[in-house]
Amino acid sequence: SKCLSDSILWFCGDGPKAAELVATAQMLGIASQVKLLGSLSQTDLFIKMMECCTLLSTSHNEGFALVRIEAVAQGMCIVSTDTGGLHETLLRKELNQGIFSAKPEPREIAMLMAKSLESEYWTPDAVEARRALAWKFDPKKIANEYMREVLN
């Protein structure tokens, strides 16, 4: 089982609240567990994602949110606000898969981040179930299905 107190929160990307995040982490005594990585190349971002357990996405507005598909393809859990078609694309009530829809409230997000580290979400079957969700978005699969429909 993974432990929240041993976790590190990485922020990828840049934004106007970076200094505020650093100050808040210092004030809370968790500065060693919060890392601002800045903008990363696609390759570096992919490598960092392979080291992660959970993707946290707290956008208020989001398009398709490809990063969530990339995360489940790597077996990661997701804690995300309900933007960019989260319910339509990744949430499946019949699967206990480690993909959580959060209200944009810090307490709920923190609770779901801790929940994402519970051992039930890290069995080989649970990780594989998340990876399998991403395959429905494989461009070759989509193209093949489209061609079958067009030719029939």
Side-chain angles (χ1 to χ4, degrees):
S1 178
K2 299 167 187 315
C3 180
L4 191 59
S5 64
D6 295 332
S7 298
I8 297 174
L9 181 61
W10 288 338
F11 287 91
C12 299
D14 291 317
K17 297 206 177 218
E20 185 181 333
L21 286 169
V22 169
T24 300
Q26 289 172 340
M27 180 188 70
L28 294 172
I30 58 169
S32 65
Q33 291 179 268
V34 177
K35 305 291 182 211
L36 279 66
L37 303 178
S39 291
L40 300 174
S41 70
Q42 284 299 112
T43 301
D44 289 341
L45 182 59
F46 181 77
I47 291 167
K48 278 295 178 197
M49 286 177 73
M50 290 188 332
E51 298 176 38
C52 293
C53 298
T54 302
L55 172 77
L56 172 62
S57 175
T58 59
S59 298
H60 294 286
N61 297 302
E62 190 74 51
F64 179 64
L66 183 59
V67 69
R68 295 186 300 215
I69 304 298
E70 293 169 336
V72 295
Q74 294 184 47
M76 294 168 60
C77 286
I78 296 176
V79 174
S80 178
T81 49
D82 189 14
T83 57
L86 179 68
H87 274 89
E88 295 81 6
T89 57
L90 294 176
L91 284 176
R92 298 287 183 266
K93 290 184 181 182
E94 69 274 10
L95 296 177
N96 185 16
Q97 62 203 24
I99 298 175
F100 306 99
S101 178
K103 293 177 183 147
E105 299 169 0
R107 193 172 306 258
E108 180 168 340
I109 290 168
M111 186 264 309
L112 291 173
M113 288 294 290
K115 185 172 179 64
S116 77
L117 299 177
E118 293 176 2
S119 60
E120 69 184 282
Y121 301 110
W122 293 100
T123 65
D125 287 344
V127 172
E128 193 52 41
R130 288 192 294 275
R131 288 184 177 139
L133 283 172
W135 281 108
K136 75 179 191 173
F137 299 100
D138 178 58
K140 290 178 185 172
K141 181 178 184 244
I142 293 169
N144 287 336
E145 288 175 7
Y146 177 75
M147 290 305 294
R148 269 195 302 269
E149 288 296 319
V150 169
L151 296 175
N152 287 333

